[in-house]
Amino acid sequence: MKSLARRISDTNLRISNLILNKSDLPEITDARQDAEGNIHPVLKDRLDSEYNKLLSKIKKTVYVTDFGAVGDGVADDTEAFKKALGNGKVRVVVPQGTYIIKGIKIPSWVYFVGDGKGLTILKLHEDTPADEWVITNADYINGNRNIVIEGMTLDWNKSRKDGVGATGGQHSSCLALAKVKFAWIKDVEGINAGLHSFDITSPTYDKLPNTDYTKDGSRFVWIENCVASGYGDDGITTHYSEYIWILNNHCSDPDGDAHEDGVSNSNGIEIDDGSKHVWVINNYTSGNIRGVEVKAHAEWPAAQDVHIIGHTSYRDVRSYDFRHIGHHTADEPDSTTAYDIVVTNCTAIEPVFNSLYAALTPRALAISAYINVNVSGFTAIGDPTYNYDDNPVIAVQYKSRNIGFHNINIRGFKKASTDIRLIGGDQKTDNINISNVQIYKSAKEGIGIGSAIYHVNLTNITMIGENGSVGLGSVNSQDSIVGVHAEGYTLAASIAGNDYLDFVPNNVKGGTRIASTSGYAKKETSAVIATTTDSKATGDKTAVIASSNSEAAGEGSVVIASSGDSKTEGGRDAIIGSNNSRTTGSSENGKAIISSNGVINDNNYSVRGGYGESTNPSTANTKWELDSISGNGKFSGSITGSSTFSDYAEYFESLDGKKIESGYIVTLEGGKIRKADEGDIALGVISETAGTVLGQATFHWQNRFLTNEFGGLILEEKTVKILDDETEEYKEEKHMLPVENPEFDINEQYTSREERDEWNIVGLLGQVRIRIDETVQENGFISPNDGIGTNSENGWKVMKITSPYDENKGYGVALCFVTPVIGR
């Protein structure tokens, strides 16, 4: 008895240290008074008290053989067991032997122990009804408590006469406990069960999600070092019960007889309808349809708060499968109970097809409908030669949400489609975090992300393929990607239709602050980068970069290398290299300020610069402006150039439509130019040295926009449509814009004047090189003669002869100062 007490105490101490704290079980961890008036302040004290009660209430130890049990595998020993158990409070020893029984009902306060698995065997009699159990608790409806079952094999004897099979429901199992509080099942083997080898349950299954559905379930049950095989449905299962520990068990090779051929959903360990707070620790499953399944049927509540630790699944079809049936597709209701699964340090080895459920495809892990699933330390090992028929290794699907995969190793699934597949569409998964993943020579695709999945974070992932198609494939570009590497695939990544051959791009999503001592990125699409002094990006699609005490507020705006309370208020505005400057008007667009101090830009589609000493920014501090609507440039200072270009020029069309060579003096005739003759008023010289050239009409027909009688642009308020990047819809804005000439056709190809021979650059003022004859002298004057300069008493001043007259060429070249009037 001392050995027993020590073993029970040690086991309970391990479990209590593993999983429970005061907030988990307020019913038993707060200071409470039990039925006998004893106060139990914490869980350990309470559990110790239960063990001590069990030991104290057991007044005697009896041997079932003392009551007539034979154990010869022939005689019916049922009555002997009934007598030995009595009304409980007894330790019943079952020596080695095979005991034929018609079911045993164990009352409360019983320690029921055999000589060990395979030594003490309890086997159902040939005449036992099909709905009977090998062992169950005595009061199946009202429940029992404090039961220990240890050291024996339970044989449901499926081969008894007439081929007895499971009747379904809660019956036909090797061991079933209903509404039992405090039970320990240790070193027990359950074989040939019609339904389950071990079933921890409530008296009935009809508990709806909106009820207190664990009220009549079993509580505080340990199943440890047990073995299950040959079961018709599941090896170990739980229903409507809570605080269950399933440790160090082995469940393998079901026969699936409880189901129709080809659709036998026989699982190793199944945490089923209405279960709560279940720990599945260091178990092994093999040959099952599902190694570990956490689930519920459509109308019943799903299992919650399930912890799977250190499990090994070998050649089960689906190593781990979490689902709430009837809550998967878009037209089905969301589950209100499928929450909280934790998988830690588990292994899936070579999942395979199995004829017991022929249509079910292999997976190392499948998650459906559940919310808050955390998988950490998971290894999936495939057979490189096995045909997985292009199925994914890990599938996350059917409205599952808030899923975490961390520290994952996958290898060897060469004939699978994808190692980790996030399935999209109408019943998509979403909100997925994947980090620290190693994939080595496995499926054709490393990680695949389906359509309409917008919240996926991928961090620190290495994928080494071998003749794979793509490392990371994603239908859209919404994923957050940092530190993902792929090699050995045709493409490292394919994201939103864009292919990356050698690398996986980083993609940082969400309001972001980088390399900044302070700051605020308010929106999902805003960023603060390399800033100080509380800079802010508060609008959609905004950024503050290398700045201090600045704000980008207008949608699609940016502040770069600026300071002093600089701020963009309008959309698509920019402030660059400035201090204490701002663009105004929250509904205005396209304003920029560059290299300025104290400047306000309130003019749409323009760039301004300037400087002001005042601490208050103002439009009055503007020194220059470029207006994109009018094409005008305004400057409060001079315009200078450092090039050798030395004259001012305009474009003029030639009278004959032909090109006029450089250096010829030209005159006007009917608004067009020709070479100037003796006595003509010289307009200017065909120049190649003009520093300023007007009238070029580079971008479109000169008369594209209507003008008034003085040539000024005619403006009117127009409504324009601007594409909103966020909504992908057009929004309307009003602006003062030039009136377009109805004769203008934007689709007609336009050739600029500089590309057409009839248009010539005429230098009108400044230093110009002119063709001269042999009469011209330095410091003299010239006038035109057939377009060539000749000596004259007045005219343009000859500054320098740069090329002497050449009789073969027929001209020399002189640098002359051209003035607006000659020959008057």
Side-chain angles (χ1 to χ4, degrees):
M1 295 296 287
K2 290 182 180 179
S3 176
L4 169 63
R6 185 166 55 252
R7 282 187 292 166
I8 292 176
S9 179
D10 290 346
T11 299
N12 190 57
L13 181 59
R14 292 202 309 273
I15 300 304
S16 63
N17 286 339
L18 265 176
I19 51 86
L20 294 177
N21 59 43
K22 195 166 186 178
S23 63
D24 291 323
L25 294 173
E27 176 190 352
I28 63 170
T29 57
D30 294 337
R32 298 178 62 86
Q33 183 172 332
D34 64 16
E36 299 178 2
N38 299 311
I39 299 298
H40 304 284
V42 294
L43 173 65
K44 182 179 183 303
D45 291 345
R46 177 71 184 273
L47 295 180
D48 286 346
S49 174
E50 295 297 331
Y51 302 140
N52 292 331
K53 286 180 185 178
L54 174 61
L55 298 177
S56 66
K57 287 179 181 290
I58 294 176
K59 304 301 183 182
K60 59 180 178 179
T61 297
V62 300
Y63 288 79
V64 71
T65 50
D66 292 340
F67 294 86
V70 178
D72 61 358
V74 177
D76 183 351
D77 293 325
T78 305
E79 288 302 318
F81 280 91
K82 287 182 180 178
K83 294 176 181 177
L85 289 165
N87 294 321
K89 298 183 180 178
V90 63
R91 183 173 186 265
V92 177
V93 178
V94 187
Q96 180 175 338
T98 299
Y99 298 85
I100 304 300
I101 56 172
K102 293 180 180 177
I104 295 174
K105 309 296 188 292
I106 297 184
S108 300
W109 309 103
V110 167
Y111 194 107
F112 190 72
V113 59
D115 280 351
K117 295 188 289 280
L119 300 177
T120 297
I121 301 171
L122 306 185
K123 184 176 181 179
L124 286 185
H125 190 279
E126 289 287 315
D127 296 332
T128 307
D131 62 353
E132 188 58 82
W133 307 269
V134 180
I135 293 179
T136 189
N137 54 299
D139 193 340
Y140 199 88
I141 301 301
N142 298 309
N144 295 96
R145 62 178 298 159
N146 295 70
I147 295 173
V148 176
I149 302 169
E150 181 179 355
M152 60 189 66
T153 293
L154 309 181
D155 184 355
W156 194 78
N157 190 16
K158 193 178 299 183
S159 62
R160 59 190 188 271
K161 68 181 182 180
D162 300 325
V164 170
T167 61
Q170 301 165 302
H171 299 274
S172 310
S173 296
C174 288
L175 188 151
L177 299 181
K179 202 173 181 180
V180 170
K181 195 171 185 179
F182 300 106
W184 297 265
I185 304 163
K186 299 177 58 178
D187 299 313
V188 176
E189 180 182 33
I191 62 175
N192 305 318
L195 196 64
H196 309 302
S197 290
F198 302 93
D199 186 3
I200 309 303
T201 184
S202 69
T204 60
Y205 284 174
D206 54 347
K207 308 289 196 306
L208 295 176
N210 59 354
T211 66
D212 185 6
Y213 50 81
T214 60
K215 177 174 66 70
D216 294 326
S218 296
R219 306 184 79 200
F220 314 116
V221 177
W222 286 259
I223 303 175
E224 187 172 1
N225 296 331
C226 293
V227 174
S229 63
Y231 32 92
D233 191 14
D234 305 319
I236 300 173
T237 187
T238 66
H239 301 83
Y240 298 99
S241 298
E242 57 184 341
Y243 304 110
I244 312 298
W245 292 270
I246 302 169
L247 308 96
N248 305 323
N249 303 291
H250 186 291
C251 302
S252 66
D253 304 311
D255 61 23
D257 283 350
H259 304 272
E260 295 181 11
D261 291 344
V263 290
S264 298
N265 186 36
S266 294
N267 306 311
I269 299 174
E270 180 183 81
I271 313 304
D272 208 344
D273 303 324
S275 300
K276 282 185 180 180
H277 316 306
V278 180
W279 283 261
V280 180
I281 304 173
N282 295 342
N283 300 284
Y284 176 93
T285 57
S286 176
N288 300 280
I289 301 307
R290 293 171 172 88
V292 178
E293 181 177 45
V294 182
K295 85 163 203 309
H297 298 86
E299 64 271 36
W300 311 131
Q304 290 184 8
D305 189 30
V306 178
H307 302 254
I308 306 166
I309 304 169
H311 187 90
T312 299
S313 166
Y314 176 68
R315 296 180 72 85
D316 298 312
V317 179
R318 295 200 171 176
S319 304
Y320 306 85
D321 199 348
F322 312 144
R323 60 193 181 125
H324 194 175
I325 301 167
H327 300 273
H328 292 173
T329 62
D331 58 356
E332 293 173 339
D334 292 345
S335 173
T336 61
T337 53
Y339 298 105
D340 306 329
I341 299 175
V342 178
V343 179
T344 308
N345 295 337
C346 290
T347 302
I349 303 173
E350 299 179 11
V352 293
F353 288 95
N354 189 323
S355 60
L356 285 176
Y357 203 139
L360 194 68
T361 54
R363 303 273 194 279
L365 171 61
I367 303 173
S368 307
Y370 264 87
I371 296 175
N372 286 2
V373 179
N374 192 343
V375 180
S376 179
F378 186 84
T379 299
I381 301 171
D383 178 353
T385 66
Y386 188 80
N387 185 9
Y388 292 99
D389 200 20
D390 277 338
N391 286 289
V393 179
I394 294 175
V396 190
Q397 59 198 5
Y398 288 140
K399 301 194 293 188
S400 53
R401 296 286 187 275
N402 288 24
I403 312 298
F405 288 107
H406 311 288
N407 304 314
I408 310 296
N409 294 323
I410 304 174
R411 65 176 173 88
F413 293 87
K414 288 191 174 181
K415 297 184 179 180
S417 62
T418 309
D419 288 302
I420 301 176
R421 183 69 183 170
L422 310 182
I423 297 177
D426 291 340
Q427 42 269 343
K428 64 179 181 178
T429 186
D430 211 343
N431 302 105
I432 313 294
N433 295 312
I434 303 176
S435 68
N436 300 330
V437 175
Q438 290 73 232
I439 296 173
Y440 184 75
K441 294 183 178 181
S442 198
K444 299 175 182 66
E445 181 181 51
I447 298 175
I449 303 171
S451 63
I453 303 175
Y454 299 123
H455 304 93
V456 178
N457 298 314
L458 306 171
T459 310
N460 297 338
I461 297 171
T462 299
M463 297 175 282
I464 308 298
E466 189 172 64
N467 301 317
S469 59
V470 60
L472 171 62
S474 181
V475 172
N476 61 63
S477 60
Q478 299 299 309
D479 317 312
S480 177
I481 306 169
V482 178
V484 177
H485 171 72
E487 62 180 72
Y489 300 89
T490 302
L491 296 173
S494 180
I495 300 172
N498 299 308
D499 294 339
Y500 300 84
L501 184 62
D502 299 320
F503 70 97
V504 180
N506 289 321
N507 180 32
V508 180
K509 182 182 176 184
T512 303
R513 197 182 88 187
I514 301 174
S516 300
T517 59
S518 62
Y520 177 33
K522 182 178 181 179
K523 301 288 187 177
E524 186 174 358
T525 55
S526 58
V528 173
I529 303 174
T531 69
T532 62
T533 322
D534 201 28
S535 292
K536 303 178 182 68
T538 57
D540 288 320
K541 304 183 292 294
T542 57
V544 178
I545 303 173
S547 300
S548 62
N549 195 28
S550 298
E551 180 177 356
E555 180 179 359
S557 66
V558 62
V559 177
I560 301 175
S562 298
S563 60
D565 201 27
S566 293
K567 181 179 180 180
T568 58
E569 294 179 356
R572 300 185 297 280
D573 287 0
I575 298 176
I576 302 173
S578 299
N579 178 68
N580 192 28
S581 298
R582 68 186 56 188
T583 62
T584 61
S586 60
S587 62
E588 307 300 325
N589 298 282
K591 302 177 292 297
I593 299 173
I594 299 177
S595 302
S596 299
N597 183 76
V599 170
I600 288 178
N601 188 347
D602 57 359
N603 186 24
N604 290 341
Y605 301 104
S606 70
V607 183
R608 284 182 180 177
Y611 190 89
E613 296 289 348
S614 172
T615 57
N616 295 321
S618 171
T619 57
N621 292 328
T622 303
K623 298 297 188 292
W624 59 267
E625 177 185 88
L626 301 177
D627 191 309
S628 296
I629 294 177
S630 66
N632 295 331
K634 301 175 183 178
F635 302 88
S636 62
S638 62
I639 300 175
T640 61
S642 62
S643 71
T644 58
F645 296 161
S646 55
D647 58 287
Y648 164 85
E650 293 185 21
Y651 270 95
F652 288 88
E653 187 177 2
S654 65
L655 185 63
D656 60 5
K658 296 180 181 180
K659 181 180 179 64
I660 302 176
E661 299 298 328
S662 298
Y664 281 107
I665 302 172
V666 296
T667 188
L668 279 173
E669 182 177 329
K672 297 184 179 181
I673 61 171
R674 60 171 174 77
K675 293 178 184 177
D677 290 327
E678 184 178 359
D680 288 338
I681 297 176
L683 172 69
V685 182
I686 305 301
S687 173
E688 294 185 17
T689 59
T692 301
V693 181
L694 301 182
Q696 186 172 7
T698 301
F699 305 110
H700 55 76
W701 178 39
Q702 187 181 37
N703 296 320
R704 174 179 178 176
F705 299 106
L706 298 180
T707 60
N708 59 31
E709 58 186 320
F710 300 105
L713 288 172
I714 298 175
L715 302 179
E716 69 176 1
E717 186 176 73
K718 292 185 178 180
T719 299
V720 296
K721 292 184 177 180
I722 304 295
L723 181 65
D724 189 308
D725 296 335
E726 193 71 26
T727 63
E728 297 185 352
E729 295 180 353
Y730 284 92
K731 60 183 181 181
E732 293 184 346
E733 296 180 355
K734 292 185 181 297
H735 297 283
M736 295 299 296
L737 297 175
V739 179
E740 198 161 71
N741 191 329
E743 296 182 9
F744 174 71
D745 184 357
I746 196 169
N747 297 312
E748 184 176 341
Q749 185 174 358
Y750 174 74
T751 302
S752 68
R753 290 178 175 180
E754 64 179 325
E755 299 175 277
R756 291 151 57 184
D757 286 344
E758 70 269 27
W759 288 96
N760 299 266
I761 297 174
V762 179
L764 304 175
L765 177 66
Q767 302 174 50
V768 188
R769 286 172 171 80
I770 302 175
R771 295 174 189 248
I772 58 172
D773 62 17
E774 68 277 14
T775 66
V776 176
Q777 301 293 321
E778 288 188 357
N779 295 317
F781 296 90
I782 63 170
S783 61
N785 182 14
D786 194 24
I788 293 177
T790 188
N791 185 55
S792 176
E793 292 183 2
N794 54 43
W796 291 335
K797 178 73 173 180
V798 178
M799 301 171 62
K800 180 180 181 182
I801 295 176
T802 57
S803 295
Y805 177 79
D806 185 331
E807 186 175 355
N808 292 326
K809 293 193 298 182
Y811 66 88
V813 178
L815 180 65
C816 302
F817 189 80
V818 175
T819 59
V821 177
I822 181 171
R824 293 189 178 181

